Amino acid sequence: MLATGTVLAWAFGLQDRAAIAASMQSFGFNPPTVHIDSLIQGIPHALPYLASAVPLGLANYIFDLENIESAHAAGDEYKTRQVMLANGISSIIGCFCGNPYPVTVYVGHAGWKSLGAGIGYTVATGLSMFLISLFGIGAFLLAVIPVAAIVPILVYIGIVTANQVVRETPKLEVPVIFTCMFPWIANWALTLTNNVLSAAGTTGAQVGAAVMANKGVYYNGLVHLGNGAPISSMVWGCIAIFAITDRPLRGAVAGAAGAILSVFGIIHSPTVGFALEPSMQFVYSYLMVAAIFVGKYMMDKNAPHAQLQQTDAKA
């Protein structure tokens, strides 16, 4: 598929020969070097961003758990501790070498497995990425291979992964999947909107939420629902699953967790901070959800059938 897409792109003149010549300027030998001094010197400059980095690290942790679970559902069990340690150690080594991007478990295990990928594919991928960065040929490959030829592969992986999620989930719990998708859809729409505004040389604040709302783009809603999607989607999923399975106390804990995350601006907020005014509406909302679960628990506890069960248990 990749080769066919590349050939067709060049045959129909969709690729630029000049881009290949320009990409060759990045050729060279770029061995990794240790930057411990730079790392230590950069810590004071990084501290103001720690409030944003911690939620991102937590989101990365959630991604790992999700993908480990996906592999387990596909029939391949991996020990969570070993995966997390390998992930963390790799990220630390990369950090010492000047890499600002953390490592995460790649999504789509079921899709790659359906294509016949195994341990050899994983090793080959890692080795290829190392050689590409070592000799600076990434720009050259992007100039030769069109993005349009790569996207269908990712679409296929996404379809297989989505199919696996729905297939492996008990029917009673399927609504939880779609509940978790809402923050992610908002996150996608927010990213798309911000990119368009940036391309036009402006921002959402400059255009104004009211102006965009008049055109059917509810920017404030996207900002609050889309920010913190990796974590808020998990909170929403917990609330939904505990409601479906009638576990009110656990649902109350999930609601309280959502309130705590909101009050610190970790979810539903573009910036991290304590008790920010825009975030308080979500704090109150999550507390109301928790209160509803507590009320449900008290009603169940005082229900006649519950009292009868307690009497039978004592007998």
Side-chain angles (χ1 to χ4, degrees):
M1 183 182 295
L2 188 63
T4 302
T6 302
V7 171
L8 290 175
W10 282 101
F12 287 97
L14 300 178
Q15 293 298 99
D16 186 7
R17 296 178 183 272
I20 295 181
S23 67
M24 292 182 179
Q25 297 178 2
S26 63
F27 284 179
F29 183 65
N30 307 291
T33 55
V34 179
H35 299 276
I36 296 180
D37 292 340
S38 299
L39 176 64
I40 296 175
Q41 293 173 4
I43 290 177
H45 302 284
L47 289 178
Y49 302 96
L50 193 61
S52 299
V54 171
L56 289 175
L58 181 58
N60 203 41
Y61 170 78
I62 293 173
F63 288 149
D64 288 345
L65 292 180
E66 291 174 343
N67 292 318
I68 293 171
E69 180 62 25
S70 175
H72 175 74
D76 298 314
E77 296 188 18
Y78 297 93
K79 294 183 178 180
T80 304
R81 177 177 296 180
Q82 293 180 358
V83 173
M84 292 296 188
L85 284 174
N87 222 349
I89 293 172
S90 300
S91 296
I92 292 173
I93 294 175
C95 181
F96 283 139
C97 294
N99 177 26
Y101 305 107
V103 178
T104 187
V105 178
Y106 197 61
V107 69
H109 181 92
W112 300 115
K113 185 177 181 179
S114 69
L115 292 174
I119 186 65
Y121 174 82
T122 303
V123 174
T125 300
L127 182 61
S128 298
M129 294 303 297
F130 174 73
L131 293 176
I132 288 171
S133 58
L134 184 65
F135 294 103
I137 58 178
F140 174 76
L141 292 177
L142 291 175
V144 174
I145 303 173
V147 176
I150 303 174
V151 170
I153 300 175
L154 300 180
V155 171
Y156 169 78
I157 298 300
I159 292 173
V160 173
T161 303
N163 176 63
Q164 179 202 34
V165 171
V166 177
R167 185 182 67 250
E168 300 293 338
T169 302
K171 290 184 178 180
L172 184 66
E173 301 174 5
V174 169
V176 179
I177 299 173
F178 304 103
T179 301
C180 295
M181 288 178 62
F182 283 107
W184 282 109
I185 294 173
N187 180 271
W188 168 80
L190 176 63
T191 302
L192 188 64
T193 303
N194 285 337
N195 288 343
V196 171
L197 292 172
S198 178
T202 185
T203 63
Q206 292 175 343
V207 174
V211 174
M212 286 190 280
N214 290 334
K215 297 298 182 180
V217 179
Y218 299 98
Y219 189 73
N220 280 340
L222 296 179
V223 168
H224 292 304
L225 185 56
N227 277 295
I231 302 176
S232 62
S233 63
M234 295 291 291
V235 174
W236 284 32
C238 289
I239 291 174
I241 190 62
F242 293 143
I244 291 174
T245 57
D246 193 18
R247 298 178 180 178
L249 282 183
R250 296 187 181 186
V253 172
I260 294 173
L261 292 170
S262 297
V263 79
F264 287 101
I266 297 176
I267 59 176
H268 304 307
S269 175
T271 57
V272 177
F274 181 74
L276 299 175
E277 184 177 354
S279 300
M280 293 310 297
Q281 58 183 323
F282 297 98
V283 175
Y284 301 142
S285 298
Y286 281 117
L287 289 177
M288 290 173 62
V289 170
I292 291 173
F293 274 114
V294 172
K296 176 65 166 56
Y297 172 77
M298 297 303 297
M299 292 174 61
D300 291 345
K301 186 177 181 180
N302 296 325
H305 68 84
Q307 296 177 357
L308 181 60
Q309 290 178 354
Q310 292 178 358
T311 303
D312 293 340
K314 292 179 180 179

